[in-house]
Amino acid sequence: DTAVSQTPKYLVTQMGNDKSIKCEQNLGHDTMYWYKQDSKKFLKIMFSYNNKELIINETVPNRFSPKSPDKAHLNLHINSLELGDSAVYFCASSRQAGGRADTQYFGPGTRLTVL
Amino acid sequence: LAKTTQPISMDSYEGQEVNITCSHNNIATNDYITWYQQFPSQGPRFIIQGYKTKVTNEVASLFIPADRKSSTLSLPRVSLSDTAVYYCLVVGAGSYQLTFGKGTKLSVIP
């Protein structure tokens, strides 16, 4: 069974369009994340939700809006897509440990190409 | 967040032991050292985590000296399938945030 899944795996779209990427985890975790990995392979956190509450919101254009309908899902909606948004987007999840730093489980990624 | 420094790339022959060292001079008392592995076209995968001395699991060993300002990930007898990027991270206890550096690209040669 897939622990963290993302759809779609590939997304090719035109500049100016609006698109969404969906993420689901079946691990029973409380916390979910979105990361962006650019062409230089740097992996940067964008958002994190804990039990549907936003807890991390890094400096990301407000064209990006995360939505968590329940703690098993965290979707990423992107408005007015730009060329610079082309990247691989990874979803991840972790338990809410509160003690030692917790392992994050990553999805397979969504490769977004903006033309 | 403690910054980490690790080699950009390493080459190794199959069957050899590979040691990747990471420096984290400003690690805090509550921080843990965590390593992730990323294969091409996949998300990062947790390998090992430690606080001090030595930790071993079925995949790797992690050596942490007493001052905790560095750590070494040891991969025994690597195979071609170990070709990946390895990230060293310093993570605060109870912290949600992972800060990935550039990682070390390990290439295993037949």
Side-chain angles (χ1 to χ4, degrees):
Chain A
D1 286 343
T2 303
V4 181
S5 59
Q6 298 178 225
T7 53
K9 187 167 177 62
Y10 299 97
L11 183 55
V12 181
T13 188
Q14 300 286 333
M15 270 189 353
N17 285 349
D18 302 338
K19 291 294 178 185
S20 292
I21 307 172
K22 295 184 177 182
C23 178
E24 177 181 3
Q25 54 94 3
N26 62 6
L27 297 167
H29 289 169
D30 288 336
T31 309
M32 297 184 72
Y33 313 77
W34 277 110
Y35 287 83
K36 178 182 179 180
Q37 188 166 42
D38 60 23
S39 57
K40 295 182 179 178
K41 305 297 183 185
F42 289 116
L43 194 64
K44 292 183 180 179
I45 191 165
M46 300 172 68
F47 303 103
S48 178
Y49 270 75
N50 183 56
N51 270 325
K52 302 194 298 175
E53 181 183 345
L54 183 66
I55 56 172
I56 295 175
N57 185 0
E58 291 297 300
T59 307
V60 174
N62 57 15
R63 298 181 294 104
F64 290 79
S65 54
K67 286 187 172 53
S68 181
D70 56 61
K71 73 174 191 178
H73 296 84
L74 180 61
N75 304 323
L76 183 65
H77 189 76
I78 315 171
N79 289 327
S80 304
L81 278 156
E82 300 178 357
L83 294 176
D85 298 332
S86 295
V88 181
Y89 292 84
F90 289 101
C91 177
S93 73
S94 67
R95 290 183 297 119
Q96 183 184 3
R100 62 184 296 171
D102 216 359
T103 301
Q104 292 190 14
Y105 295 81
F106 285 77
T110 296
R111 181 175 294 276
L112 171 65
T113 303
V114 182
L115 303 176
Chain B
L1 299 171
K3 182 179 176 181
T4 60
T5 303
Q6 51 184 124
I8 293 175
S9 63
M10 294 180 71
D11 293 336
S12 175
Y13 288 103
E14 270 191 298
Q16 288 187 329
E17 178 184 75
V18 171
N19 295 310
I20 306 174
T21 297
C22 177
S23 64
H24 25 79
N25 289 319
N26 58 342
I27 189 169
T29 304
N30 292 335
D31 289 342
Y32 285 80
I33 299 148
T34 309
W35 287 79
Y36 280 77
Q37 172 192 55
Q38 186 176 24
F39 296 115
S41 301
Q42 293 186 28
R45 182 177 74 117
F46 172 85
I47 301 177
I48 197 166
Q49 182 181 78
Y51 184 80
K52 60 180 180 180
T53 63
K54 178 184 174 182
V55 179
T56 297
N57 62 22
E58 64 278 5
V59 176
S61 294
L62 179 59
F63 299 91
I64 305 168
D67 67 4
R68 304 202 325 124
K69 293 183 183 300
S70 67
S71 58
T72 299
L73 175 73
S74 181
L75 304 172
R77 297 180 297 282
V78 293
S79 64
L80 296 178
S81 63
D82 292 316
T83 294
V85 177
Y86 293 82
Y87 296 96
C88 167
L89 294 88
V90 171
V91 189
S95 170
Y96 299 106
Q97 191 151 347
L98 295 185
T99 300
F100 286 83
K102 298 179 182 179
T104 297
K105 184 174 182 180
L106 173 65
S107 298
V108 180
I109 307 163

